[in-house]
Amino acid sequence: MKTPLKDIRRHPASFIPLSVPNISRKAWKYVEDCLSSGWVSSVGKYVTRFEQDLTATVGGGHAVATINGTAALHIGLLVAGVQPEDEVLMPTLTFVASANAARYCGAYPIFVDVDPKTFVMDVSKTKTFLEEQCAVHQSHLINKSTGRIVRAIMPVHFLGHPVDMDPLMELADRYKLAVVEDACESLGSAYKGRPTGRLGHVGCFSFNGNKIVTTGGGGMIVTNNKAWADRARYLTTQAKDDPKEYIHGAVGYNYRLTNIQAALGCAQLEVLPKFLKAKTLITSRYNETFKNEESVQAPIPSLWAKTNGWLYTFVLREKKRGQANQLISFLESKKIEARKLFRPMHMMPIYRQDGSALQEAERLYESAVSLPSSTNLTQREQGYVISCVKEWLDA
Ligand SMILES: *Cc1c(COP(=O)(O)O)cnc(C)c1O
């Protein structure tokens, strides 16, 4: 099994990317079928099939395909009842699309810190915020410092690791908050055996190019609530009341996925189990090496978590603490793409918020590094990545 180190120290032929699509032969067949049938746009058998296949993958619900994950989050929040001037609680460590989706609704994101072990929304800090910073007034939960209604929570299963959803749903029940899961990075992950994206009131997925399953660009809304799914379908297709008379009953959106993209998605979903296996293998090879490195904290998934291993990410510590940028530049010089975490939302001018209660996210941002995790990463390439990381750690 083990390739001798001197063998893999040689430079692979080309650049090793962070996470790239892995397109199967079936995809060509399905896409060709679309192209030759002329059904290329947002109506067609593959859109319906992709929605059905996704619900089969995540264990039920009503699914509505969208043009991308961001659109799914926007419509997910709308159907869950988020209104202008409301607030949506979410982790500060996420991709900007989560916060933007709240703003598209005219609502405001409020940021919560993350758990330093799993990088996801800290539910006990969420609880403290709700109990100490908010008050119930005329059956609404009000943020005492802004006077706005807290309407929803958006847990993000960041890097594929599920949020601790049971206590989060208890809080949501207690305060009557809607829960819209940002499951954009977590297709294939599960919480206590239950798939992410199916744990809140609405789940949103992304099929962007770097996600575990891709349609080029695409997204999906999944919910058990039939009326919400119908509303989502209506809003994502320009809110058409009468297609012949062109009567539109609301300000809708042109957010539907095309048949070509859905065809690609159907082929990708067929190989998801294979992708998950590949990611598990990649994760265990990295862990095997890094668990004994003093200046690295390998990921520590929660006991109840099954993660999809989307992007292998470790944290630099001891003498290498805070040096994410240095490692990334070093790897770049070795033709390896590595990445920092997203900049925490509260550290960006558009979403500036007091960071004194968001310190774990700030610390991770300086010290966490994601390594190449493509499902088609070869053992040889991974060996090269590992030897380069070790070279930097030992320097
Ligand atoms: C990718 C991603 C999104 C947005 O998905 P797109 O399909 O790129 O619009 C939202 N949230 C998170 C956490 C993501 O990683």
Side-chain angles (χ1 to χ4, degrees):
M1 250 320 254
K2 281 209 175 110
T3 318
L5 253 188
K6 66 172 178 349
D7 214 344
I8 53 182
R9 266 175 202 252
R10 248 185 302 131
H11 214 292
S14 57
F15 177 76
I16 301 178
L18 189 71
S19 179
V20 287
N22 187 350
I23 308 294
S24 65
R25 297 226 166 270
K26 270 282 187 64
W28 292 81
K29 184 167 160 272
Y30 293 169
V31 171
E32 189 184 1
D33 181 32
C34 272
L35 297 180
S36 56
S37 72
W39 289 98
V40 294
S41 194
S42 60
V43 180
K45 68 177 184 189
Y46 284 108
V47 177
T48 311
R49 179 170 152 190
F50 187 42
E51 290 173 344
Q52 287 166 351
D53 289 356
L54 189 97
T55 57
T57 302
V58 299
H62 305 279
V64 178
T66 60
I67 198 73
N68 52 49
T70 309
L73 292 170
H74 175 197
I75 299 299
L77 286 173
L78 281 182
V79 299
V82 172
Q83 293 169 32
E85 299 302 313
D86 284 352
E87 287 180 351
V88 180
L89 285 185
M90 63 181 69
T92 187
L93 201 49
T94 184
F95 181 53
V96 70
S98 320
N100 287 349
R103 293 297 298 128
Y104 298 163
C105 302
Y108 294 89
I110 296 289
F111 303 117
V112 180
D113 206 3
V114 297
D115 177 313
K117 286 207 183 77
T118 60
F119 304 11
V120 298
M121 189 171 195
D122 186 322
V123 177
S124 67
K125 287 183 181 171
T126 308
K127 180 168 187 272
T128 307
F129 175 85
L130 292 171
E131 287 174 353
E132 293 176 8
Q133 309 291 317
C134 302
V136 179
H137 180 71
Q138 295 181 339
S139 78
H140 287 309
L141 189 70
I142 308 291
N143 178 345
K144 288 190 279 191
S145 66
T146 60
R148 295 195 185 107
I149 295 175
V150 180
R151 189 82 65 180
I153 308 178
M154 180 175 279
V156 181
H157 307 299
F158 193 59
L159 303 174
H161 191 289
V163 173
D164 193 2
M165 289 299 288
D166 281 349
L168 189 85
M169 293 309 291
E170 255 175 62
L171 286 172
D173 275 354
R174 183 177 346 145
Y175 294 108
K176 301 194 170 44
L177 303 173
V179 175
V180 178
E181 294 173 76
D182 181 338
C184 287
E185 299 179 359
S186 71
L187 182 65
S189 297
Y191 172 74
K192 299 183 181 173
R194 290 174 280 149
T196 57
R198 299 282 299 134
L199 304 158
H201 304 114
V202 182
C204 303
F205 294 93
S206 165
F207 310 108
N208 183 39
N210 66 3
K211 300 287 159 60
I212 190 163
V213 155
T214 186
T215 58
M220 193 82 76
I221 301 165
V222 185
T223 175
N224 281 343
N225 187 319
K226 173 80 166 50
W228 288 8
D230 290 344
R231 181 77 184 163
R233 198 173 297 281
Y234 176 75
L235 288 174
T236 53
T237 50
Q238 306 279 31
K240 238 176 264 166
D241 283 347
D242 184 326
K244 288 197 187 110
E245 295 291 336
Y246 288 96
I247 298 170
H248 302 267
V251 179
Y253 302 87
N254 183 9
Y255 274 179
R256 283 290 277 169
L257 191 71
T258 68
N259 204 39
I260 301 177
Q261 290 163 308
L264 182 50
C266 290
Q268 286 267 291
L269 276 184
E270 287 178 12
V271 285
L272 175 62
K274 212 179 89 189
F275 287 174
L276 290 169
K277 272 196 197 130
K279 296 272 195 193
T280 304
L281 203 58
I282 290 168
T283 302
S284 65
R285 286 202 202 109
Y286 278 136
N287 277 342
E288 200 48 44
T289 313
F290 296 132
K291 71 176 187 216
N292 299 321
E293 287 285 338
E294 223 169 73
S295 44
V296 160
Q297 177 63 67
I300 315 168
S302 302
L303 286 175
W304 36 256
K306 176 181 159 251
T307 91
N308 65 0
W310 175 54
L311 216 47
Y312 184 87
T313 305
F314 65 28
V315 184
L316 297 169
R317 61 180 183 186
E318 309 285 337
K319 64 178 193 244
K320 296 294 187 183
R321 180 187 299 277
Q323 296 188 28
N325 284 336
Q326 287 90 320
L327 173 56
I328 290 162
S329 311
F330 177 81
L331 292 175
E332 200 179 342
S333 75
K334 300 282 183 182
K335 289 197 177 178
I336 295 167
E337 185 185 17
R339 197 180 79 181
K340 279 186 98 159
L341 295 181
F342 301 121
R343 181 183 285 262
M345 294 302 111
H346 74 276
M347 294 170 72
M348 288 193 283
I350 50 169
Y351 289 123
R352 181 82 57 205
Q353 241 167 59
D354 172 29
S356 52
L358 304 167
Q359 288 302 299
E360 297 296 353
E362 291 193 12
R363 274 194 282 274
L364 286 174
Y365 174 61
E366 296 302 330
S367 294
V369 176
S370 302
L371 297 177
S373 307
S374 305
T375 52
N376 49 12
L377 182 74
T378 65
Q379 195 170 344
R380 182 189 156 80
E381 287 170 327
Q382 191 176 5
Y384 174 70
V385 173
I386 288 170
S387 69
C388 291
V389 173
K390 285 181 81 153
E391 184 184 337
W392 183 83
L393 290 175
D394 296 339

